[in-house]
Amino acid sequence: MPKMTVDPYYCKGCGLCIAACPKKIIRFSENINEKGYHYAECYKQEECIACKMCYMTCPDVAIKVEK
Amino acid sequence: MAKILMKGNEAVAEAAIRSGCRLYFAYPITPQSELIEYMAKMMPKVGGTFLQAESEVAAINMVYGAAGAGKRVMTSSSSPGISLKQEGISYIAGAELPAVIVNVQRGGPGLGDIQPAQADYFQAVKGGGHGDYHLIVLAPNSVQEFADMASDAFDLADKYRNPVMILSDGMLGQMMEPVEFKPAKTQEEINTLGEQHTAWCICPNADGDAKHHHEINSLELDPSVLEKHVNHMYEKYAVVEKNEVRCETYNVSDDNEVLCVAWGSASRIVKSAINELKKEGKSVGLIRPITLWPYPYEAIVKAIGPKVRQVYVFELNTGQMLDDVKIAVEGRVPVKFWGKVGGIVFTPAEIQEKLEACF
Amino acid sequence: MEVIARRPETLTKTPFTYCPGCLHGVAHRLIAEAIEENGLINQMAGVAPVGCSVFAYKFFNFDMAEAAHGRAPAVATGMKRARPDMHVFTYQGDGDLAAIGTAEIVHAANRGEKLSVFFVNNAIYGMTGGQMAPTTLPDMKTTTSPYGRNVEDIGYPIRMCELLSTLVAPYYVERVSLLSPAEIIKAKKAVGKAIQYNRENRGFTFIEFVSTCPTNWGIDPVKSRDWARDNMLPFFKVGCFRDKGEENVQGVEK
């Protein structure tokens, strides 16, 4: 099953992946990372289609996509 | 090998090639043009790189890149061009890269003129670029020595990972003298030299090797780390000061009543004057610093004989080395200076007259 | 499960020091991927500039040099000439490349140095706090053009791709944008081609990225892309200006 994961270590919460996702299944986490950012997270993994749009747009190379 | 009659500018270029220098980047300027032209002619014949850069600034940064890749590399210029190179020289020193820079000095400031001068002593010895660093500065006084210094300069640069400047002048650059070259390095020796810095330089990963990530860099935003780096450089400089001081003594004896200090071209003229005075029974010694940094302070102190009543500094500038002589002498005897500027070279008769007035 | 997209090995584990949403990171990733895909990690070396990407030498996982401001093409020239068996690129911003380093880039291009130059154009000096760049748009306000860039006084922005395309030697010159996933996919192709040509030692390759500066423009990362699309792209038209490897080059849309 397709899956996207964000590494909170790299994420700066810019939101570009949220805007890029065609399925609208990425949001800011309620948690913050050690830099103080609300990092991005996928909250409906089952709807991910592994299109890589999030990976493509992420400026911090924080995203891994699996299929 | 037989002696060849050659201009200093050409001799140093030939000697650099024989020392294994296969990369040369520079921009034309008088009075060093024979050097860049010799390199343009000879580098292709030995499979080396000659590149006429768009500016002195670009040339010194090409040197930074090639030195960062661990290869013997040289640039040359004359005073105004050396000023342009100062940014790059500071970066090369900060990144601890080996490189050789030749300055064939001319009169300044500004565009000045194209006659010989020694007016870049401060720039070469006391800084030049920004930040805490030293160049190792070698000052020849003959075409032979100019040529010999090329291989010394590369050896010192490689040994200490520091830029070395050969501080020559328009007289030595343009003058022809017989010169005997050391044997040229073999291709095998050059290959070995080219790989001597692979522990830190820009170089390919050998197949099967663990990948390296070498950084050629002078930037460190953490003050404590930068402090450590600068202190490390100064520990290195302390070793250079201990091991690499060079000077020539001429006619120095306990009979000396005057001790001269002069470097480079100026020292040749002082020697002639000393020889004339000798005929009159007047004893004058000369200390000629060969390394301007590290400076031969101790040699000057040692050379002050029991009868010396005057230390006399002669330079083709307004007295830029004078302070260093005073530091060495520490008030033991009076220190005087006389020099010529604007690209005018003093004559032996003028020096003789100045010295005779001391007796 | 198979990993189909992940951080390339050609990037170190060090997080980028860029502001949130800054597209430098996308440009870095595209370059890193192209190097990985061309199998060049063992023969690659890069030169970092002065500016926001001054720390690029910490981010690429191979040998890197940090150059003085604007001098990266000269440093890269020295490196490539010293080690012709290696492949060298520079990474430069608009102040670095199009202002203080104009001579170095023009002459490296004119010599046809076998380098790739990656040029990030976001119309502003980022690191020093949003001053006017040579690429700042007419009437655009920055901290050193507080009343807007007055073209009568300071001139028009410099179009580097167009300028370099007047030279004979450059092998490949293309401007791309990083303002959406679709544009990034196009940019990836261009970067891949530049690195491929570099691997084959074909000549001088130049990629300009139209990018953003959310922090100094004062616009959030998502909207800053719209601002760039509306304001930068009409002046800095994307397209291929030179490709000696292709017979038919479309050229830029007029």
Side-chain angles (χ1 to χ4, degrees):
Chain A
M1 198 172 69
K3 184 183 171 195
M4 78 77 84
T5 39
V6 178
D7 188 340
Y9 177 68
Y10 291 109
C11 181
K12 295 185 191 134
C14 70
L16 290 182
C17 60
I18 297 174
C21 179
K23 305 301 281 184
K24 303 292 167 213
I25 55 173
I26 310 173
R27 66 179 178 196
F28 291 119
S29 170
E30 285 179 6
N31 301 322
I32 56 170
N33 64 13
E34 58 185 23
K35 291 192 195 80
Y37 295 118
H38 288 280
Y39 52 87
E41 64 179 13
C42 178
Y43 65 101
K44 284 183 191 166
Q45 270 313 350
E46 65 283 2
E47 289 186 25
C48 179
I49 54 170
C51 66
K52 299 197 288 188
M53 291 299 126
C54 53
Y55 170 86
M56 200 53 79
T57 197
C58 173
D60 288 289
V61 205
I63 293 170
K64 183 165 82 173
V65 182
E66 295 162 281
K67 197 157 88 171
Chain B
M1 200 187 145
K3 290 197 173 187
I4 309 167
L5 193 63
M6 252 181 149
K7 281 194 174 192
N9 281 336
E10 294 177 337
V12 73
E14 173 62 27
I17 292 172
R18 286 167 176 264
S19 312
C21 174
R22 288 294 179 274
L23 293 146
Y24 172 85
F25 305 95
Y27 187 85
I29 186 171
T30 309
Q32 66 89 54
S33 295
E34 294 83 3
L35 208 171
I36 187 171
E37 287 164 7
Y38 193 88
M39 286 296 197
K41 196 168 67 181
M42 299 309 286
M43 271 299 190
K45 294 188 181 177
V46 294
T49 295
F50 164 83
L51 202 160
Q52 181 173 327
E54 59 271 28
S55 67
E56 284 90 348
V57 177
I60 193 70
N61 282 284
M62 290 170 187
V63 169
Y64 176 93
K71 304 281 186 166
R72 286 195 159 180
V73 56
M74 180 168 125
T75 186
S76 63
S77 192
S78 178
S79 310
I82 295 290
S83 293
L84 281 168
K85 289 183 195 290
Q86 292 303 330
E87 175 199 50
I89 291 172
S90 169
Y91 279 66
I92 289 169
E96 297 195 85
L97 303 179
V100 174
I101 303 135
V102 177
N103 181 358
V104 184
Q105 293 170 97
R106 61 189 243 186
L111 270 179
D113 61 16
I114 55 171
Q115 302 305 316
Q118 298 185 312
D120 301 347
Y121 182 94
F122 281 156
Q123 187 194 51
V125 175
K126 306 293 179 190
H130 59 281
D132 284 304
Y133 76 92
H134 276 295
L135 294 176
I136 297 173
V137 184
L138 307 175
N141 83 339
S142 68
V143 171
Q144 180 68 58
E145 195 178 34
F146 198 2
D148 290 344
M149 276 180 181
S151 62
D152 287 348
F154 280 111
D155 289 344
L156 287 166
D158 282 330
K159 185 175 176 188
Y160 295 104
R161 284 184 61 182
N162 201 70
V164 177
M165 177 172 282
I166 303 178
L167 192 59
S168 176
D169 62 54
M171 184 149 71
L172 289 171
Q174 299 292 326
M175 175 166 74
M176 289 181 95
E177 279 186 326
V179 55
E180 189 173 356
F181 291 104
K182 294 175 187 167
K185 296 230 182 282
T186 63
Q187 191 55 49
E188 200 178 327
E189 286 171 322
I190 293 169
N191 293 346
T192 309
L193 285 171
E195 299 308 308
Q196 65 180 316
H197 297 303
T198 49
W200 57 264
C201 75
I202 303 277
C203 57
N205 286 293
D207 285 338
D209 266 16
K211 280 196 289 287
H212 57 247
H213 174 81
H214 296 156
E215 290 175 1
I216 304 301
N217 178 29
S218 62
L219 174 70
E220 187 46 72
L221 286 187
D222 181 339
S224 65
V225 179
L226 183 57
E227 181 188 41
K228 211 173 141 195
H229 176 64
V230 175
N231 287 340
H232 152 75
M233 285 170 62
Y234 274 72
E235 282 162 20
K236 180 172 85 177
Y237 294 151
V239 178
V240 177
E241 285 179 299
K242 187 163 167 267
N243 296 335
E244 309 297 348
V245 177
R246 294 171 205 179
C247 71
E248 180 196 355
T249 55
Y250 186 77
N251 204 42
V252 168
S253 77
D254 282 353
D255 296 332
N256 288 163
E257 292 184 56
V258 179
L259 178 70
C260 298
V261 187
W263 60 281
S265 292
S267 68
R268 294 169 67 119
I269 300 154
V270 175
K271 275 186 190 176
S272 301
I274 288 173
N275 293 342
E276 288 304 310
L277 288 164
K278 216 175 190 176
K279 291 176 195 163
E280 298 171 11
K282 290 168 181 159
S283 178
V284 178
L286 167 71
I287 289 280
R288 173 173 75 95
I290 295 172
T291 52
L292 300 182
W293 192 92
Y295 193 77
Y297 295 108
E298 284 175 25
I300 291 175
V301 177
K302 272 192 202 157
I304 303 173
K307 294 184 193 163
V308 169
R309 56 174 174 270
Q310 182 75 61
V311 169
Y312 220 139
V313 180
F314 295 103
E315 295 180 85
L316 299 171
N317 60 38
T318 52
Q320 297 192 14
M321 183 179 67
L322 179 61
D323 288 348
D324 279 323
V325 176
K326 283 183 175 170
I327 288 167
V329 174
E330 282 186 323
R332 288 176 182 90
V333 281
V335 180
K336 246 176 140 173
F337 169 80
W338 189 72
K340 290 287 238 176
V341 294
I344 297 171
V345 179
F346 42 57
T347 64
E350 285 174 311
I351 302 294
Q352 196 180 336
E353 190 192 318
K354 295 288 163 193
L355 289 170
E356 273 169 349
C358 302
F359 284 86
Chain C
M1 263 202 312
E2 182 201 355
V3 177
I4 58 165
R6 49 111 182 103
R7 205 176 165 85
E9 280 183 20
T10 37
L11 289 176
T12 61
K13 292 193 163 54
T14 309
F16 300 148
T17 39
Y18 306 113
C19 303
C22 170
L23 301 181
H24 265 304
V26 175
H28 280 20
R29 197 200 81 230
L30 295 179
I31 296 163
E33 283 176 348
I35 291 164
E36 188 176 58
E37 285 157 16
N38 275 277
L40 285 178
I41 191 168
N42 290 319
Q43 290 86 37
M44 203 74 204
V47 184
V50 169
C52 292
S53 44
V54 68
F55 289 120
Y57 63 87
K58 293 185 177 186
F59 306 142
F60 288 102
N61 194 16
F62 37 78
D63 290 359
M64 292 289 294
E66 161 50 35
H69 201 14
R71 316 300 174 218
V75 172
T77 297
M79 271 162 58
K80 179 66 179 174
R81 300 288 183 126
R83 292 199 179 267
D85 53 335
M86 292 194 76
H87 301 277
V88 182
F89 75 91
T90 73
Y91 187 96
Q92 303 177 256
D94 38 31
D96 191 85
L97 184 138
I100 195 166
T102 320
E104 283 77 10
I105 189 61
V106 168
H107 287 274
N110 193 48
R111 289 190 301 268
E113 292 292 337
K114 295 177 175 63
L115 310 169
S116 297
V117 173
F118 297 105
F119 168 45
V120 176
N121 175 2
N122 60 2
I124 206 158
Y125 282 71
M127 174 159 270
T128 44
Q131 292 84 8
M132 183 178 66
T135 49
T136 292
L137 297 166
D139 300 323
M140 182 174 165
K141 285 182 182 172
T142 70
T143 55
T144 51
S145 57
Y147 311 110
R149 180 179 184 137
N150 176 359
V151 294
E152 296 302 320
D153 182 45
I154 199 73
Y156 284 86
I158 296 180
R159 298 180 173 110
M160 286 310 296
C161 282
E162 286 84 338
L163 193 152
L164 296 177
S165 303
T166 65
L167 304 172
V168 177
Y171 193 84
Y172 175 46
V173 178
E174 179 151 358
R175 182 184 290 125
V176 296
S177 56
L178 300 173
L179 309 177
S180 68
E183 288 160 276
I184 293 168
I185 288 166
K186 276 189 197 162
K188 183 174 163 65
K189 278 187 191 143
V191 172
K193 195 187 264 187
I195 294 292
Q196 180 212 323
Y197 289 163
N198 190 321
R199 189 190 77 212
E200 295 163 358
N201 283 321
R202 292 214 206 176
F204 182 84
T205 54
F206 185 88
I207 301 291
E208 173 175 341
F209 299 102
V210 175
S211 187
T212 61
C213 184
T215 300
N216 288 299
W217 292 356
I219 309 174
D220 80 51
V222 175
K223 287 190 185 130
S224 67
R225 300 185 305 181
D226 299 332
W227 191 90
R229 178 167 294 106
D230 294 344
N231 296 282
M232 288 184 74
L233 291 187
F235 195 88
F236 299 108
K237 291 197 162 70
V238 297
C240 181
F241 294 82
R242 171 79 57 79
D243 185 351
K244 292 187 182 176
E246 303 274 348
E247 284 191 359
N248 300 311
V249 175
Q250 295 284 317
V252 66
E253 187 191 325
K254 300 289 178 198

